[in-house]
Amino acid sequence: MNHTQASTFLARANNCFYVSLDHNLSILSANEKFSNLFTPHAIEPGKPFLPLFALPLQQKWKNCFSNNTTPDRNPRAVTNAVEAGMRTLNIEWNIFDVINTENKNTGFEVLGVLLQEPAGEVTINKESELNNEKYYRSLFDYNPNSVFSLDNTGKLIKVNNAFTKLLEWTEDELHPSPLNVIFREDDIEIAKEYYHKALEGNSANYSGNLITKNGKNVDVTITFIPVKDNENTIGVNCRIENITESVVANKTLLKQEERLKSVLSKLKKVLNSSLDVICTIDRDGKFIKVSAASKKLLGYEPRELAGKHFMDFIYEEDLDRTFEANLKIQSGIATTNFENRYYRKDRSIADLVWSSRWDEGDQRYYAIARDASEKKASEAALKASEEKYKILFYNHPLPTWIYDVETFMFIEVNEAAIEHYGYSREEFLKMKLQDILVGQEVQRFENLHNQEGFHLNRHKDLWKHKKKNNEVLYAEITSNFIDYQGRKAKLVLSIDRTEHIIAEQELLKSNEKYYYLSEATFDAIWDWDIQSGDVQWNEGVKKMFEMPHLTTTTKVDWWLDNLHPDDRARVEVKLQEHIKTNNSNWEDEYRFKIDSNTYKYIFARGYIIFDAAKGPVRMIGAMQDLTERKRHENTLQKLNSSLEKRAKELAESNAELERFAYVASHDLQEPLRMVTSFLQLLEKRYKDKLDQKAHEYINYAVDGAERMKKLILDLLEYSRVNSSKIEKEDVDVNEIMNDLKITYKNILKETDGTINNSELPVVKGNKTQILQLFQNLVGNAFKYKSDEPPVINISYEEDNAAYKFAISDNGIGIDPKFFHKIFIIFQRLHNREKYSGTGIGLAICKKIIDKHGGKIWVSSTPGKGSTFYFTLPKSK
Amino acid sequence: MKNIHILLVEDNEGDIILTQEALSDAKIKNKVSVSRDGEEAISYLNKALEDPEELLPDLILLDINLPKIDGKEVLHYIKTTPSFKKIPVVMLTTSSSELDVVDSYNNYANCFISKPVDLNKFFDVVRMIEDFWITIVKLPSKD
């Protein structure tokens, strides 16, 4: 294999160190493995290569690079230890010359393979060194032969002056160094062999090459001499004899060829130890060579694939893609990370990732295929997991979205958000978060976002959102800051709390109403939490109990303790009974102590609220102060009993009055009758014996008796009106007038008088009394007539409540100064001679009107006439 | 024609005189017995049973206001005693009380007359009683 071709893919190889240098030993490129070796120093193009290594190694590297005069010297191998991090790695390096078309060296490619054994730690037996120092130093240094000493670990520890002259290394530079500093790579094993022989106590002569500090080969013979301390070998001294160069020229050439073979076999090892399938494919697409990984990756031995077309193994679906990719590669475009599927030998499918290029010079493809199954599997897992979260997001039953916290634009919305808010996904994704906020919330939202550290926090808050149909909802928002595809975003969960909030507001309002109501009312209102035993009292209670300093809340026991001792047991039992029987409506009356010796009568009414389990939860009620009412009741009772007493007295007085009336009607009349009767009997029987004067006297006596009789009868009538209960009935006043006209027929004739009346109403009243009323008034009009023929007019008016009658005459009239006297019993305005009368008639009229609930009054102009008015109420 | 026997139960001396005066003007001859209270009236009637023909009255003029036993009780006694109940009883009283009127008729008074205050009217009333009960009405025999 041509080294240039090899280098192309070696640059990408993971299992060897690769670096490419220009002819000045500056780095052109390096693979990752090589770069890693020198971490933390960066490997960059243009960086000098040699300073990466320790000083002794630098010289060795220089030697290797400079020995390039003939192409067949390629490659040269050098093994050295590299301090990589905490470890020392033994690496075998191969240097290839890069030759241009004019066969001139333009640079180098260096390939390193890690050797299995790491370089052992250098240990030095300081004690033996000190001993030797003492006795042999001088002798050693000035030995004319070149001499060097190795310790019991095979490390160069001492060299003398002649050595320095021959190989240019000073002791200071070497102490201590491994043998490969001065031995050629290929000679190390032999040198070590000799050394070990010497350690075992056998001197030996070695012929071969040593390398000077400047990389020059020196043909020498070395005698290995054991150094003994007592019976133990503690080291080896070596004496160098210089041999002429010419003797060994041919021999060296031979060795170079062997080395080339060795390197190639190692390169093959590298290829075959790679986990990737490294292959070359000819222009027709047939495998030329395939690395051993094909067995593991595809189940085919490399030789089974050789000569087969690479397309033959491609999974059908990937054929077209692969063919296209192949065309690209063929046109000179190197391809990396091309993925396709390959049939294994067992027909299972392998996912492969290809890196490939077409080399026009070599007329073949160089390709590396790597197993992508694992990658695929993890990608599939990732995809599945993404899918899972997608499902979780999109199908979450609550509205959920993601918005960009810098632009506030919606990035993602789920189905629930679309359904609940009414915007389509397309609409959402064109909207800002502010677009779903209700007016005043926008400012709040922006303020919140301007707060420092806002994005770091998780938020839970209540917002007023509007739906597409402008319906407002109260959304409980839980949000979390996330990094969404490289954008600063918020993941938001919205829970519609509208019903809850509205219910809460209603409750608040109703509580507020209850509060104001309970504050405003004079009634005492209380609210007993039966579970806790706390009772809330309103202002009204303080007023009612006259306890301005009463705390708003007390225990229910406070109330019980203040009940009157005689009431407490009864009240408690009744209340417990209500609670026990789930009877919500409670009321009771009791006395409540407001100070040490004052109780108030309270009427309380309450409503007990039970929970679903029928347990009492709360009782709300109101109280009324019955103290005043009780007092009134007591007063009323006293009043009633006094009234009863009075009524009884009155009844007695009425009975007396009736007896009086009886006496008046009977017992008073009896003697009067005797007076009259015997005067008349006297007149009758002794007519002839009495003179004129006697007759005159008898007449006066009889007249007096008559008037007295009249007075008694009027008085009796008056007392009857006063005492009797009136039975009310419909009284047609027209009929009354007809009766009167009949009664007064003679007088009307005698006086040439008239009674005028319009159509009169039917009134409610006692017929006898109404008749008497009209009779008295009309009678008076005749009695107090002037010289003119009497004209009596009877009329009436009515309103909703009463009838108002007017009886006017053209009589003598009444002087207004006597108006107040005329309705008083026995008051007379005129002498008996001119106008007869007892002075009871108008008093009876007034009594009748009083009895009927009406009023009577008079207006008059003396000499012109009088008008008597009275009213009769319509109802009752 | 046989003399008519009238029992006047009256406590008022004046009325007794006035009634007798009025009856003395009567067309028919009559005999007037007077009892001055209820008790006396009842005992008279019972005594009269010894010689009913001679002593039992044909007509009783009964006042209501009487000492001891009043006129209504006397009426009740007469009208519930088989020997007396056929005797017509004229309630002749100064009372015009409705109650007295009703009570009297309920106790089978034969008629109720208020004494007129005027003397001439009183005389007229007595004459009419005599006329009606003695002349016009057929009375039962005393047996």
Side-chain angles (χ1 to χ4, degrees):
Chain A
M1 186 191 282
N2 184 299
H3 72 272
T4 312
Q5 292 147 10
S7 67
T8 309
F9 64 83
L10 284 173
R12 294 189 201 104
N14 278 342
N15 40 15
C16 60
F17 306 99
Y18 170 82
V19 59
S20 148
L21 307 172
D22 68 7
H23 66 282
N24 292 321
L25 302 184
S26 291
I27 294 170
L28 291 171
S29 68
N31 75 351
E32 204 173 62
K33 191 151 175 156
F34 180 87
S35 298
N36 288 343
L37 204 52
F38 297 95
T39 309
H41 304 291
I43 301 299
E44 310 162 320
K47 193 177 175 102
F49 174 72
L50 288 177
L52 294 171
F53 300 90
L55 208 55
L57 288 175
Q58 287 186 17
Q59 191 54 52
K60 208 169 152 190
W61 277 111
K62 265 190 209 165
N63 293 343
C64 286
F65 286 122
S66 58
N67 275 345
N68 63 347
T69 44
T70 49
D72 54 12
R73 283 190 170 244
N74 272 331
R76 289 139 296 165
V78 58
T79 299
N80 55 28
V82 176
E83 304 285 328
M86 297 302 287
R87 292 188 303 152
T88 303
L89 301 172
N90 254 0
I91 297 169
E92 185 183 280
W93 300 95
N94 289 279
I95 301 168
F96 298 85
D97 293 307
V98 179
I99 310 290
N100 67 6
T101 44
E102 282 131 29
N103 213 21
K104 280 185 83 175
N105 180 295
T106 56
F108 307 91
E109 286 184 319
V110 180
L111 190 67
V113 178
L114 183 65
L115 296 179
Q116 289 310 305
E117 4 133 41
E121 205 156 309
V122 180
T123 59
I124 298 155
N125 189 330
K126 286 190 175 168
E127 205 177 330
S128 72
E129 191 187 15
L130 278 173
N131 286 341
N132 290 339
E133 196 77 34
K134 263 184 189 171
Y135 301 103
Y136 303 111
R137 184 79 236 187
S138 172
L139 182 67
F140 179 82
D141 278 351
Y142 296 103
N143 192 316
N145 291 314
S146 303
V147 181
F148 62 95
S149 294
L150 303 169
D151 66 10
N152 57 0
T153 66
K155 291 274 187 323
L156 255 166
I157 51 171
K158 276 192 272 186
V159 300
N160 71 351
N161 297 340
F163 179 96
T164 305
K165 202 176 173 187
L166 180 67
L167 296 171
E168 297 153 32
W169 293 106
T170 64
E171 185 180 302
D172 289 345
E173 287 171 333
L174 292 172
H175 176 85
S177 293
L179 283 175
N180 61 8
V181 176
I182 56 167
F183 282 93
R184 290 186 62 99
E185 206 67 37
D186 297 342
D187 296 339
I188 283 290
E189 294 307 316
I190 302 160
K192 279 186 181 168
E193 209 173 289
Y194 277 86
Y195 164 76
H196 286 295
K197 277 183 185 166
L199 270 185
E200 286 160 14
N202 304 316
S203 297
N205 286 328
Y206 159 83
S207 292
N209 283 0
L210 286 180
I211 311 159
T212 70
K213 188 177 177 179
N214 291 316
K216 267 162 65 186
N217 280 334
V218 182
D219 280 346
V220 291
T221 304
I222 304 166
T223 309
F224 288 81
I225 307 154
V227 179
K228 294 195 174 178
D229 181 12
N230 300 323
E231 283 308 306
N232 298 322
T233 306
I234 56 160
V236 173
N237 280 339
C238 299
R239 193 184 67 226
I240 304 169
E241 283 175 52
N242 202 350
I243 303 168
T244 47
E245 287 179 21
S246 57
V247 179
V248 292
N250 280 341
K251 202 172 154 189
T252 308
L253 197 62
L254 198 71
K255 277 186 182 167
Q256 296 283 11
E257 278 171 19
E258 281 169 6
R259 278 179 206 128
L260 181 59
K261 267 191 199 166
S262 155
V263 165
L264 283 174
S265 97
K266 279 172 185 166
L267 189 59
K268 202 175 168 189
K269 268 191 222 166
V270 168
L271 290 175
N272 283 336
S273 62
S274 171
L275 294 171
D276 299 337
V277 175
I278 302 169
C279 56
T280 50
I281 299 169
D282 68 16
R283 129 166 256 114
D284 300 329
K286 286 177 179 159
F287 288 111
I288 302 166
K289 277 211 163 180
V290 183
S291 70
S294 67
K295 172 71 179 164
K296 201 177 173 196
L297 200 58
L298 301 170
Y300 291 106
E301 293 291 347
R303 64 185 146 74
E304 289 181 276
L305 291 172
K308 299 269 168 52
H309 201 286
F310 82 97
M311 292 288 274
D312 292 348
F313 303 92
I314 290 166
Y315 182 65
E316 292 78 357
E317 285 184 13
D318 295 345
L319 276 171
D320 290 349
R321 284 173 51 237
T322 309
F323 185 74
E324 277 171 33
N326 192 39
L327 286 177
K328 265 193 202 167
I329 295 164
Q330 217 169 2
S331 68
I333 302 163
T335 297
T336 54
N337 292 324
F338 175 75
E339 292 182 24
N340 64 6
R341 283 164 286 183
Y342 233 66
Y343 281 115
R344 292 199 183 92
K345 196 176 181 182
D346 62 5
R347 298 303 288 171
S348 66
I349 290 169
D351 288 296
L352 296 182
V353 182
W354 293 87
S355 295
S356 182
R357 79 179 260 273
W358 166 255
D359 192 299
E360 192 61 35
D362 293 350
Q363 287 290 304
R364 64 183 59 176
Y365 299 95
Y366 292 94
I368 302 175
R370 180 170 293 178
D371 184 1
S373 303
E374 220 171 285
K375 192 183 159 205
K376 281 272 175 191
S378 74
E379 272 175 6
L382 187 66
K383 212 174 158 192
S385 138
E386 268 177 16
E387 198 63 35
K388 221 156 56 183
Y389 286 113
K390 254 188 187 170
I391 289 170
L392 206 61
F393 176 84
Y394 284 110
N395 298 320
H396 196 283
L398 292 172
T400 309
W401 60 76
I402 298 168
Y403 72 92
D404 187 314
V405 297
E406 275 153 9
T407 64
F408 302 132
M409 295 296 287
F410 284 94
I411 304 173
E412 295 279 358
V413 290
N414 75 350
E415 293 302 324
I418 291 163
E419 194 184 312
H420 205 81
Y421 283 77
Y423 301 102
S424 69
R425 173 165 283 112
E426 291 66 36
E427 285 170 325
F428 256 125
L429 297 184
K430 281 178 200 154
M431 283 162 57
K432 287 185 169 191
L433 198 94
Q434 287 96 316
D435 296 335
I436 63 160
L437 294 177
V438 169
Q440 69 273 27
E441 296 277 69
V442 174
Q443 194 57 48
R444 180 177 156 222
F445 174 79
E446 284 167 4
N447 290 345
L448 200 61
H449 272 264
N450 289 336
Q451 274 174 22
E452 207 171 322
F454 168 72
H455 302 315
L456 304 174
N457 300 328
R458 176 179 285 209
H459 284 91
K460 190 169 177 175
D461 213 344
L462 198 67
W463 292 88
K464 271 165 101 173
H465 284 175
K466 63 171 182 247
K467 297 183 182 179
K468 192 181 179 185
N469 63 7
N470 278 325
E471 197 180 298
V472 174
L473 67 105
Y474 288 91
E476 184 185 297
I477 294 300
T478 310
S479 67
N480 202 18
F481 179 64
I482 58 168
D483 189 329
Y484 186 76
Q485 296 176 337
R487 296 158 85 174
K488 287 179 180 174
K490 278 240 159 188
L491 176 64
V492 176
L493 189 76
S494 163
I495 302 169
D496 189 342
R497 295 286 191 210
T498 311
E499 274 180 36
H500 178 78
I501 297 289
I502 286 173
E504 219 168 53
Q505 284 173 347
E506 291 289 315
L507 189 69
L508 212 64
K509 254 191 238 167
S510 110
N511 272 351
E512 215 168 68
K513 263 187 223 163
Y514 164 76
Y515 172 78
Y516 288 124
L517 197 67
S518 74
E519 284 303 298
T521 182
F522 281 118
D523 287 348
I525 294 171
W526 44 266
D527 183 346
W528 174 25
D529 183 332
I530 297 176
Q531 303 302 317
S532 70
D534 288 336
V535 183
Q536 303 262 3
W537 305 98
N538 80 335
E539 286 298 313
V541 178
K542 297 180 186 178
K543 281 175 210 151
M544 179 178 289
F545 292 167
E546 296 166 23
M547 295 176 184
H549 304 302
L550 174 65
T551 50
T552 320
T553 309
T554 71
K555 285 286 167 192
V556 72
D557 292 341
W558 174 82
W559 172 71
L560 285 169
D561 290 343
N562 281 303
L563 292 180
H564 195 284
D566 295 348
D567 295 343
R568 180 172 174 159
R570 175 182 57 78
V571 170
E572 267 188 285
V573 165
K574 185 171 177 186
L575 191 56
Q576 286 309 322
E577 189 62 25
H578 272 262
I579 290 172
K580 219 164 72 185
T581 58
N582 280 289
N583 182 352
S584 281
N585 295 300
W586 168 88
E587 59 176 57
D588 210 343
E589 230 182 277
Y590 51 79
R591 283 161 289 178
F592 193 86
K593 186 169 167 181
I594 61 161
D595 67 41
S596 55
N597 48 19
T598 313
Y599 283 88
K600 279 202 164 188
Y601 284 92
I602 301 293
F603 173 71
R605 197 174 262 158
Y607 187 83
I608 308 168
I609 299 166
F610 295 93
D611 62 16
K614 307 213 164 172
V617 180
R618 200 170 159 198
M619 184 171 178
I620 298 167
M623 295 189 293
Q624 244 180 314
D625 185 353
L626 296 186
T627 315
E628 273 304 298
R629 195 200 284 180
K630 282 275 174 189
R631 196 159 33 229
H632 287 152
E633 273 176 15
N634 286 342
T635 315
L636 205 63
Q637 216 162 6
K638 276 182 199 160
L639 206 64
N640 272 347
S641 61
S642 105
L643 271 180
E644 266 171 40
K645 201 174 148 197
R646 259 184 232 175
K648 205 172 154 194
E649 285 169 0
L650 206 62
E652 278 168 16
S653 136
N654 273 350
E656 263 174 51
L657 208 64
E658 264 168 41
R659 275 196 296 278
F660 164 76
Y662 191 82
V663 166
S665 69
H666 186 268
D667 293 4
L668 285 183
Q669 279 191 79
E670 192 67 25
L672 202 57
R673 195 169 50 82
M674 286 302 110
V675 173
T676 313
S677 298
F678 279 95
L679 282 171
Q680 285 173 338
L681 191 58
L682 182 67
E683 203 177 29
K684 194 177 175 95
R685 295 283 185 247
Y686 302 96
K687 208 175 187 170
D688 305 334
K689 293 169 185 156
L690 292 175
D691 61 5
Q692 187 54 37
K693 215 155 204 165
H695 283 294
E696 202 177 310
Y697 293 166
I698 287 170
N699 278 342
Y700 278 122
V702 170
D703 183 52
E706 274 301 321
R707 272 190 286 114
M708 186 158 182
K709 187 193 159 198
K710 185 90 173 57
L711 201 59
I712 287 165
L713 287 174
D714 282 355
L715 204 57
L716 186 63
E717 201 57 53
Y718 181 81
S719 83
R720 272 194 188 140
V721 171
N722 198 35
S723 65
S724 65
K725 266 191 234 164
I726 56 163
E727 298 290 331
K728 285 192 178 176
E729 56 198 315
D730 285 337
V731 180
D732 187 344
V733 184
N734 296 302
E735 280 177 21
I736 299 263
M737 288 319 296
N738 290 339
D739 288 352
L740 279 185
K741 281 173 189 166
I742 292 163
T743 306
Y744 291 117
K745 199 168 81 183
N746 292 334
I747 293 180
L748 284 169
K749 221 178 199 174
E750 284 164 18
T751 58
D752 197 18
T754 46
I755 298 175
N756 303 313
N757 66 282
S758 55
E759 179 72 14
L760 294 169
V762 176
V763 297
K764 275 265 180 220
N766 181 288
K767 192 175 179 179
T768 314
Q769 293 185 0
I770 299 289
L771 176 65
Q772 189 166 17
L773 174 70
F774 277 95
Q775 195 173 314
N776 287 359
L777 291 172
V778 172
N780 276 352
F782 285 120
K783 194 185 279 176
Y784 301 107
K785 73 175 196 64
S786 61
D787 298 335
E788 303 285 313
V791 177
I792 301 164
N793 293 309
I794 296 164
S795 64
Y796 82 102
E797 291 168 21
E798 66 178 311
D799 59 22
N800 286 337
Y803 295 102
K804 184 176 107 179
F805 289 91
I807 297 169
S808 64
D809 60 52
N810 57 347
I812 56 172
I814 304 163
D815 190 331
K817 67 183 173 191
F818 299 121
F819 283 174
H820 66 284
K821 276 191 155 186
I822 57 171
F823 295 107
I824 298 169
I825 194 164
F826 298 134
Q827 292 289 333
R828 291 177 52 85
L829 300 181
H830 306 282
N831 67 47
R832 208 165 280 126
E833 280 66 42
K834 197 165 184 189
Y835 299 99
S836 68
T838 56
I840 293 175
L842 283 176
I844 289 173
C845 288
K846 186 170 185 333
K847 266 265 158 328
I848 290 169
I849 290 296
D850 284 349
K851 276 275 178 185
H852 283 77
K855 281 200 164 108
I856 186 165
W857 68 99
V858 67
S859 74
S860 179
T861 311
K864 299 238 163 143
S866 305
T867 304
F868 282 87
Y869 301 96
F870 62 89
T871 59
L872 286 172
K874 281 184 168 174
S875 58
K876 287 182 190 175
Chain B
M1 197 179 187
K2 189 179 167 271
N3 281 354
I4 288 296
H5 184 191
I6 296 170
L7 175 66
L8 176 65
V9 189
E10 175 64 73
D11 65 325
N12 189 330
E13 218 41 70
D15 273 324
I16 293 169
I17 294 165
L18 287 175
T19 307
Q20 282 173 335
E21 283 286 340
L23 283 171
S24 67
D25 288 354
K27 299 174 239 169
I28 296 159
K29 214 175 169 194
N30 55 59
K31 176 188 145 195
V32 176
S33 304
V34 176
S35 293
R36 287 183 166 76
D37 61 48
E39 197 180 56
E40 195 185 315
I42 288 168
S43 69
Y44 172 85
L45 284 171
N46 283 322
K47 210 176 174 182
L49 285 176
E50 289 165 12
D51 180 7
E53 193 60 37
E54 195 56 33
L55 300 175
L56 267 186
D58 298 301
L59 184 69
I60 299 167
L61 299 178
L62 183 60
D63 192 10
I64 286 176
N65 293 304
L66 296 170
K68 295 179 184 172
I69 296 172
D70 74 17
K72 287 183 203 171
E73 286 170 278
V74 176
L75 174 68
H76 181 75
Y77 179 80
I78 293 166
K79 291 299 179 186
T80 54
T81 306
S83 316
F84 311 131
K85 67 180 180 187
K86 59 186 177 190
I87 303 168
V89 179
V90 174
M91 305 301 288
L92 189 64
T93 172
T94 47
S95 168
S96 57
S97 154
E98 186 73 12
L99 186 69
D100 287 345
V101 177
V102 172
D103 278 355
S104 300
Y105 283 112
N106 280 340
N107 279 299
Y108 309 104
N110 295 78
C111 72
F112 187 99
I113 294 167
S114 281
K115 289 177 192 166
V117 175
D118 183 79
L119 182 79
N120 294 323
K121 281 178 184 160
F122 180 71
F123 274 42
D124 287 347
V125 163
V126 173
R127 198 166 48 244
M128 279 188 250
I129 288 168
E130 183 197 35
D131 206 29
F132 181 77
W133 284 107
I134 300 184
T135 316
I136 298 169
V137 170
K138 168 84 179 158
L139 292 175
S141 66
K142 288 177 187 175
D143 306 313

